[in-house]
Amino acid sequence: MEAAITILALLFVAFIALGVYATVKAVGAAKRGVDRTITQARRTVEDTTLRAKSFGQTGVAGELAQLRLALRTSMRATQDALHAGVAEDSSLAESVGLFRRLSAHGLELDDELKRLEREPDRATVAALLPQLKERTQRITHSADSLRWAARDRARQFADYDLDALNAQIDIEAGALRHWTVEEQRPQQASGAASQGPGAGARRAHDAGVDWPEPTAGAGNSSTADESWGGPAREEAPQAITAPDPHLRTRYPWQKAARPETTN
């Protein structure tokens, strides 16, 4: 009885601890979600303000706003592209590390530009603008290079996968049309069995070629030879033979010979 009570107490304590742990995790996730939402809202408001300043203000303030807007847009786009690609391609981990180092310079420049927006000495700020533009261009150029390289890599992998998929589909389509191969085999077998003395003439006739047929008689042998491209043979002289008296033509006025009778 005491052992059962001890087991139940331990189970109760375990359930309580598990509930506390789940509650802490849920509160932490909710807090992170709220912080993420607040950060995103603050970022959206700040980007909208910078865009309004870059179009609405002129002079040093407008140029500073344009630099900050270009820097933030490029860095955010590169960050999203790399974080989305590293989940599928682990080789982008080194690129993510390089981007973190670049982000440190970008955040430092963004803070400096933000401070200069509140600087009352506009002449000094105007003198620093060329240097600030150069730094911004260098950082954004590096970020753009990383982003487009990651996109080109993903697109190349997609092209390779599409080529392999097309080849597999062609093979499968050929396997599904197996009856066409089975139909061609009987046709080839029947074509081979039909080969004979007149097969060449039939093929020539089917192809639309009319070869001259040799006529009866020995005198047409030269024509047949010429039709095949061979040399014409000379006709052999015919032998002169005496006419057969039995084959002579009889006329009506001639009497038939009487048959010989024997006494």
Side-chain angles (χ1 to χ4, degrees):
M1 188 64 182
E2 294 179 356
I5 294 174
T6 304
I7 292 174
L8 291 176
L10 291 176
L11 290 176
F12 179 76
V13 172
F15 281 123
I16 293 297
L18 183 62
V20 172
Y21 176 76
T23 303
V24 171
K25 295 293 289 183
V27 171
K31 184 176 182 300
R32 287 192 299 271
V34 172
D35 293 340
R36 190 181 305 111
T37 303
I38 293 174
T39 302
Q40 186 175 1
R42 185 184 299 112
R43 183 184 303 162
T44 302
V45 172
E46 192 170 3
D47 290 343
T48 304
T49 303
L50 288 175
R51 191 172 289 106
K53 287 182 179 179
S54 61
F55 288 105
Q57 293 183 358
T58 58
V60 177
E63 293 183 2
L64 290 175
Q66 291 178 3
L67 292 178
R68 288 192 64 195
L69 183 62
L71 177 64
R72 294 165 64 91
T73 302
S74 177
M75 299 296 288
R76 188 177 300 117
T78 304
Q79 180 181 3
D80 295 341
L82 292 179
H83 287 174
V86 75
E88 300 178 358
D89 188 3
S90 58
S91 61
L92 293 178
E94 185 176 356
S95 299
V96 174
L98 293 175
F99 178 74
R100 289 197 183 99
R101 295 173 57 186
L102 183 65
S103 296
H105 294 278
L107 291 174
E108 181 181 358
L109 178 60
D110 185 69
D111 292 338
E112 184 176 355
L113 293 173
K114 190 175 182 179
R115 289 193 303 269
L116 291 176
E117 287 180 350
R118 300 187 296 268
E119 178 64 37
D121 189 359
R122 295 301 179 182
T124 304
V125 176
L128 294 175
L129 275 178
Q131 181 182 359
L132 295 173
K133 288 180 179 180
E134 183 182 358
R135 288 177 59 189
T136 304
Q137 291 176 359
R138 291 177 61 185
I139 294 175
T140 55
H141 176 72
S142 299
D144 294 342
S145 298
L146 283 175
R147 182 174 70 254
W148 284 111
R151 290 178 178 176
D152 292 341
R153 181 180 179 85
R155 184 172 59 252
Q156 189 69 22
F157 282 163
D159 292 340
Y160 287 155
D161 185 58
L162 181 60
D163 293 339
L165 180 60
N166 289 335
Q168 293 178 0
I169 290 175
D170 292 340
I171 294 174
E172 182 65 19
L176 292 176
R177 294 193 183 95
H178 61 88
W179 66 86
T180 57
V181 180
E182 295 178 356
E183 290 177 357
Q184 290 177 359
R185 289 177 181 174
Q187 292 177 1
Q188 293 176 358
S190 61
S194 63
Q195 297 293 332
R202 288 195 299 271
R203 289 196 300 268
H205 183 271
D206 295 338
V209 180
D210 293 333
W211 295 106
E213 297 182 359
T215 57
N220 294 329
S221 60
S222 63
T223 306
D225 292 337
E226 291 176 359
S227 64
W228 289 99
R233 292 182 298 179
E234 296 181 358
E235 297 181 359
Q238 297 181 358
I240 301 175
T241 56
D244 190 358
H246 297 287
L247 298 178
R248 292 179 179 178
T249 305
R250 294 182 178 273
Y251 298 96
W253 59 83
Q254 293 180 347
K255 295 181 180 181
R258 294 180 181 180
E260 296 181 357
T261 58
T262 58
N263 294 329

